[in-house]
Amino acid sequence: MTLVLNRPSKLLFAIIFCSITGFLVGQENSESPKDSLPLNALEEVVVTANRYGSIQHKTPEAIEVVNNNSIQRFQLRTAPEALQLATGVFVQKTNHGGGSPFIRGLTGNQTLLLYDGIRLNNATVRSGPNQYFNTIDVFSVGKMEVLRGSGSVQYGSDAIGGTIQALSKKVETAEKPVWGTDLFTRFVTQNMEQTANAALKYGDKRVAFRANATWRNFGDLIGGDTTGQQIPTGYRELDFDLKGKILLSDRSSLTTVYQRVHQKDVPVYHKVALEDYAINKMDPQKRELAYLRLHQDLGNNIVKTAVVTTSYQHHEEGRILQKNGSTSLRTENDKVRTFGFSAETFSSHGKIWSANSGVEIYNDKVRSSRTDKDLTSSNETANRGLYPDGATMTSIAAFSMHTLSMEQWDITAGLRFNTFINKVTDSILGATKLTPSALVGNLGVQRRLNETSNVFASVNTGFRAPNINDLGSLGIVDFRYETPNFDLKPEHSLQYQLGYKFRNRAVKAEVFLYRNELYDLIVRNRIAVDSIEGYPVYQKKNVERGFIQGAEMGLDLSLNPNWNLSGNMTYTYGQNKTSDEPARRIPPLFGRLATSYTFKNWNLSADWLLAGKQDRLASGDVDDNRIPDGGTRGWNVLNIHGSYSINYITIAVGLQNIFNEDYRYHGSGVNGYGRSGVLSVSASL
């Protein structure tokens, strides 16, 4: 049986949201004594919007939280796939070992990724879909926050569409020494997944830590209906992370984190299926992160706390390529070493004014190599890598963000100045130095209508500085051959946003409207030469303007203490003003409805994912072999999950894609899961 996203499906979704809107109006017009009580127990604290803890409902931004409990309940496989729980996030998968979140129609180096406040985006993060968020072990994550339409003032370059931050699980001190262990294993039918995870926890009065290890083996992905097994898509993964906290005194603490993610033999399926490759895979795909963070209470009447963070990060991406019938095997390897430093203070005066100000420095160094091996003679030839070997990129920034909270008004405003030093020395391209800079600001004003409702408007400016990927890439990227350009300047954006937030003890609902004006976009332009290695030749230039606008709706309804209903819907429209055509890779109308019922030790959950047809295509979409002729068709997918807990053990089962729908997220290189069963067992001791 196959469901099709047709007009009745869209109508059903609209009826549900209209019914909820009517319910909210009724709630607002019939306040009860219960509604007028303090809502502190309901408030979600978020950190991404202001770099420090603030109440989500009182923040004049569109920010969503994905909690670890929800990720476990719906048995989501990876960090990118877990983002399907968030309003306004569309996750495209070029390959099974990837997962690139789109926020408000933008992804890649136009969306900023963070882990515990530290940038994952580095000097080689490329435009378009990528795999970087999949280098986060989902079992190390306590929650994820999605800040839509903002982040440049708070965190710097790349947050044109928004910011996604994964936050590590907390470690807690205790009055008496306490040890704990978490164990988890999961299996998916047809050998699509075997996962084992173990964590060891400890806490006493001064010290707490958590050590976590994950082993994963993913078989080839089996799609729905007629797709069948997609060979090759499977890969292996081994992860480790350690987080510790030491209370140095009553006023200071030191937090340290080390994590390592190592993925092996990660195929790029569409290259093999559609582009005549015998081998096209990433091996290895690795990321290491280590940081130290000192938190100091200052005891000052104005400047309350100071936080200093030093970090080291290492990304490595290897690529192995061989065309069908070729005797040449190409091995490429790119490594990026990043040192980071930030120092910031939190200040406040009473309950009216608060501020976060500081400085931030990142330095990236790129090592890039390529070896071509003749398989008949075993001779190896060293060639220039994808990027100039030894290229560096340094970011230096100062920022200040302020919040005013008055009786019925919340106002936020901030500024950041960021300058960059890009140095490239290359045997082919020569030496060059580029020093772009940007000044960005934001302003948000929120009005409390009553105890349950807020309305806000905000303006955010954003930017993306040209990185080493823009300046110095030379070789095959996606389905093009790219040559470098050293005369680039930052991309800029100006985003307007209106939002309405409703919250009481039973209902949380939000509606957002936005328009993002995009300037000086760095895009690939076709060069008038025939081809190189059979691919058309492109070069990046600041030549385009455009806009993206849309609407987002989300709700969470607690029908009673045991039964919860949630849903979201997102509409996105993008236009390239320069070429007078649709913007590239714009997601279709998409949404999700989910319900969860808990009774004693039992939990039953179901979710319905759907996307409309996307046939409004840019010329680049038409040329993209990951997008079918005429566009990507609409689809519906229904999943159910259930669990039973006894003592310290939880057993969970699930059925994915019940009707075996053959579907693909727009722009993806692989189709989604076909009908499959999931079994997991977890224990907390």
Side-chain angles (χ1 to χ4, degrees):
M1 178 178 180
T2 301
L3 292 175
V4 178
L5 184 67
N6 49 24
R7 189 166 296 173
S9 299
K10 297 178 183 177
L11 180 61
L12 174 60
F13 229 89
I15 290 172
I16 292 171
F17 272 99
C18 289
S19 299
I20 291 168
T21 302
F23 175 78
L24 295 182
V25 172
Q27 288 284 312
E28 188 170 338
N29 293 335
S30 58
E31 287 188 17
S32 65
K34 183 178 179 180
D35 289 332
S36 64
L37 294 174
L39 304 176
N40 293 341
L42 302 173
E43 305 291 15
E44 181 89 55
V45 176
V46 294
V47 300
T48 307
N50 295 313
R51 293 181 66 116
Y52 60 86
S54 56
I55 303 301
Q56 180 189 24
H57 186 60
K58 297 179 180 179
T59 302
E61 296 288 355
I63 185 166
E64 182 86 2
V65 178
V66 177
N67 287 300
N68 181 266
N69 289 340
S70 298
I71 297 172
Q72 292 182 356
R73 182 181 306 123
F74 291 98
Q75 302 196 72
L76 294 163
R77 185 181 70 97
T78 63
E81 291 178 15
L83 289 171
Q84 73 183 33
L85 300 176
T87 301
V89 182
F90 189 84
V91 180
Q92 187 260 33
K93 290 172 59 177
T94 290
N95 59 327
H96 197 39
S100 192
F102 280 69
I103 307 178
R104 295 188 169 175
L106 298 172
T107 193
N109 55 20
Q110 294 176 321
T111 296
L112 180 59
L113 307 177
L114 305 169
Y115 190 94
D116 282 357
I118 296 167
R119 296 172 59 92
L120 269 65
N121 294 44
N122 59 33
T124 64
V125 170
R126 56 187 175 271
S127 63
N130 56 53
Q131 78 283 4
Y132 303 110
F133 204 65
N134 196 41
T135 63
I136 293 176
D137 180 10
V138 71
F139 294 100
S140 75
V141 175
K143 68 175 182 176
M144 292 184 282
E145 296 182 359
V146 181
L147 177 62
R148 304 190 298 277
S150 183
S152 281
V153 171
Q154 300 92 317
Y155 302 101
S157 179
D158 301 1
I160 292 178
T163 304
I164 299 175
Q165 177 163 211
L167 296 162
S168 59
K169 290 184 177 179
K170 293 182 178 180
V171 291
E172 304 286 354
T173 56
E175 286 300 315
K176 297 181 179 179
V178 177
W179 289 90
T181 303
D182 294 331
L183 302 172
F184 178 89
T185 186
R186 180 166 62 214
F187 303 90
V188 178
T189 56
Q190 300 164 289
N191 292 318
M192 281 195 287
E193 179 185 347
Q194 300 95 42
T195 290
N197 171 262
L200 178 66
K201 301 177 290 186
Y202 174 79
D204 61 26
K205 288 184 177 181
R206 291 289 182 183
V207 176
F209 74 83
R210 181 181 186 273
N212 176 75
T214 305
W215 171 86
R216 316 196 75 177
N217 181 44
F218 298 110
D220 289 324
L221 178 60
I222 297 176
D225 196 14
T226 59
T227 294
Q229 192 173 31
Q230 300 172 84
I231 302 174
T233 50
Y235 64 98
R236 294 166 292 152
E237 181 174 334
L238 184 63
D239 309 328
F240 173 78
D241 63 88
L242 175 66
K243 182 176 183 179
K245 183 177 181 180
I246 303 173
L247 299 183
L248 303 175
S249 69
D250 293 339
R251 288 189 169 185
S252 63
S253 63
L254 184 68
T255 301
T256 181
V257 165
Y258 172 78
Q259 61 178 211
R260 184 178 187 271
V261 174
H262 188 177
Q263 297 164 346
K264 299 180 179 179
D265 296 319
V266 185
V268 184
Y269 169 72
H270 77 280
K271 293 283 189 179
V272 176
L274 301 175
E275 296 187 20
D276 198 33
Y277 276 92
I279 301 173
N280 194 306
K281 63 181 180 180
M282 288 179 281
D283 185 27
Q285 187 167 282
K286 295 169 61 176
R287 185 178 61 83
E288 289 183 274
L289 169 66
Y291 75 77
L292 285 171
R293 178 166 291 155
L294 176 66
H295 186 282
Q296 178 71 49
D297 291 334
L298 300 176
N300 187 280
N301 289 334
I302 300 296
V303 183
K304 306 296 185 183
T305 61
V307 178
V308 177
T309 304
T310 60
S311 63
Y312 166 82
Q313 197 160 193
H314 181 266
H315 286 80
E316 180 178 359
E317 179 182 318
R319 295 176 297 278
I320 303 175
L321 308 93
Q322 182 187 6
K323 287 282 188 125
N324 284 314
S326 173
T327 60
S328 177
L329 181 70
R330 177 178 298 178
T331 302
E332 300 176 341
N333 188 275
D334 301 319
K335 300 175 182 177
V336 183
R337 181 272 298 148
T338 304
F339 290 116
F341 172 82
S342 67
E344 56 193 293
T345 60
F346 173 74
S347 306
S348 66
H349 182 68
K351 297 182 179 180
I352 296 178
W353 170 79
S354 59
N356 189 35
S357 303
V359 296
E360 198 170 60
I361 301 172
Y362 284 93
N363 174 262
D364 294 345
K365 185 171 184 177
V366 179
R367 309 300 306 191
S368 185
S369 63
R370 167 186 156 189
T371 301
D372 292 333
K373 181 177 182 180
D374 187 329
L375 298 177
T376 58
S377 64
S378 296
N379 291 332
E380 295 185 352
T381 305
N383 292 295
R384 180 198 190 272
L386 181 61
Y387 307 112
D389 190 44
T392 61
M393 178 176 178
T394 302
S395 167
I396 304 171
F399 60 88
S400 186
M401 298 171 293
H402 301 258
T403 299
L404 293 175
S405 296
M406 294 168 281
E407 184 175 346
Q408 292 179 311
W409 297 89
D410 294 300
I411 301 172
T412 62
L415 287 172
R416 168 183 283 251
F417 177 75
N418 221 138
T419 188
F420 298 83
I421 304 170
N422 294 330
K423 294 182 179 180
V424 174
T425 302
D426 188 76
S427 58
I428 296 176
L429 306 171
T432 189
K433 180 179 179 181
L434 191 69
T435 56
S437 61
L439 177 66
V440 290
N442 60 14
L443 174 66
V445 179
Q446 181 164 273
R447 175 72 156 82
R448 287 190 286 275
L449 303 178
N450 52 43
E451 289 291 329
T452 59
S453 297
N454 295 337
V455 62
F456 78 87
S458 67
V459 179
N460 290 279
T461 57
F463 77 103
R464 187 185 76 81
N467 61 16
I468 302 302
N469 178 273
D470 296 305
L471 296 174
S473 58
L474 177 65
I476 299 169
V477 180
D478 290 334
F479 50 89
R480 309 172 181 88
Y481 194 99
E482 193 167 299
T483 62
N485 180 10
F486 294 118
D487 186 23
L488 295 173
K489 58 185 178 181
E491 300 177 326
H492 289 92
S493 67
L494 176 61
Q495 186 159 169
Y496 308 93
Q497 181 176 212
L498 293 173
Y500 171 77
K501 299 181 180 182
F502 177 94
R503 188 161 190 172
N504 65 13
R505 283 171 175 75
V507 180
K508 173 187 172 184
E510 299 173 329
V511 180
F512 305 97
L513 301 173
Y514 71 90
R515 181 179 173 98
N516 194 2
E517 297 283 352
L518 306 170
Y519 308 91
D520 302 319
L521 293 177
I522 300 173
V523 297
R524 297 183 180 110
N525 274 337
R526 180 75 182 267
I527 296 176
V529 297
D530 292 335
S531 66
I532 298 178
E533 298 185 27
Y535 287 87
V537 180
Y538 286 75
Q539 186 180 68
K540 292 176 180 174
K541 297 181 180 180
N542 291 94
V543 294
E544 288 190 351
R545 295 184 60 178
F547 70 86
I548 300 175
Q549 60 191 23
E552 302 156 342
M553 297 181 289
L555 71 94
D556 197 303
L557 175 62
S558 298
L559 301 174
N560 58 48
N562 300 323
W563 187 12
N564 176 265
L565 175 70
S566 63
N568 61 68
M569 178 170 276
T570 300
Y571 169 75
T572 312
Y573 179 93
Q575 182 71 13
N576 186 321
K577 292 181 179 180
T578 304
S579 58
D580 192 25
E581 66 171 6
R584 281 215 63 193
R585 304 186 185 95
I586 294 297
L589 177 74
F590 68 94
R592 177 178 182 266
L593 281 176
T595 186
S596 180
Y597 182 78
T598 302
F599 178 72
K600 294 184 177 179
N601 297 334
W602 294 89
N603 176 267
L604 180 64
S605 301
D607 63 337
W608 172 30
L609 307 174
L610 68 161
K613 181 179 181 179
Q614 182 54 290
D615 55 4
R616 188 174 180 272
L617 305 177
S619 57
D621 296 332
V622 174
D623 294 338
D624 192 334
N625 55 27
R626 291 167 292 190
I627 298 175
D629 291 341
T632 307
R633 70 181 186 88
W635 47 264
N636 297 261
V637 171
L638 181 63
N639 311 302
I640 59 171
H641 299 275
S643 66
Y644 177 74
S645 300
I646 180 170
N647 296 326
Y648 304 106
I649 298 175
T650 298
I651 301 173
V653 296
L655 184 59
Q656 302 178 122
N657 195 356
I658 292 174
F659 299 110
N660 206 30
E661 174 90 344
D662 196 357
Y663 74 101
R664 172 176 291 202
Y665 279 83
H666 179 61
S668 293
V670 293
N671 284 10
Y673 296 93
R675 185 188 296 118
S676 52
V678 185
L679 170 66
S680 66
V681 180
S682 59
S684 295
L685 307 174

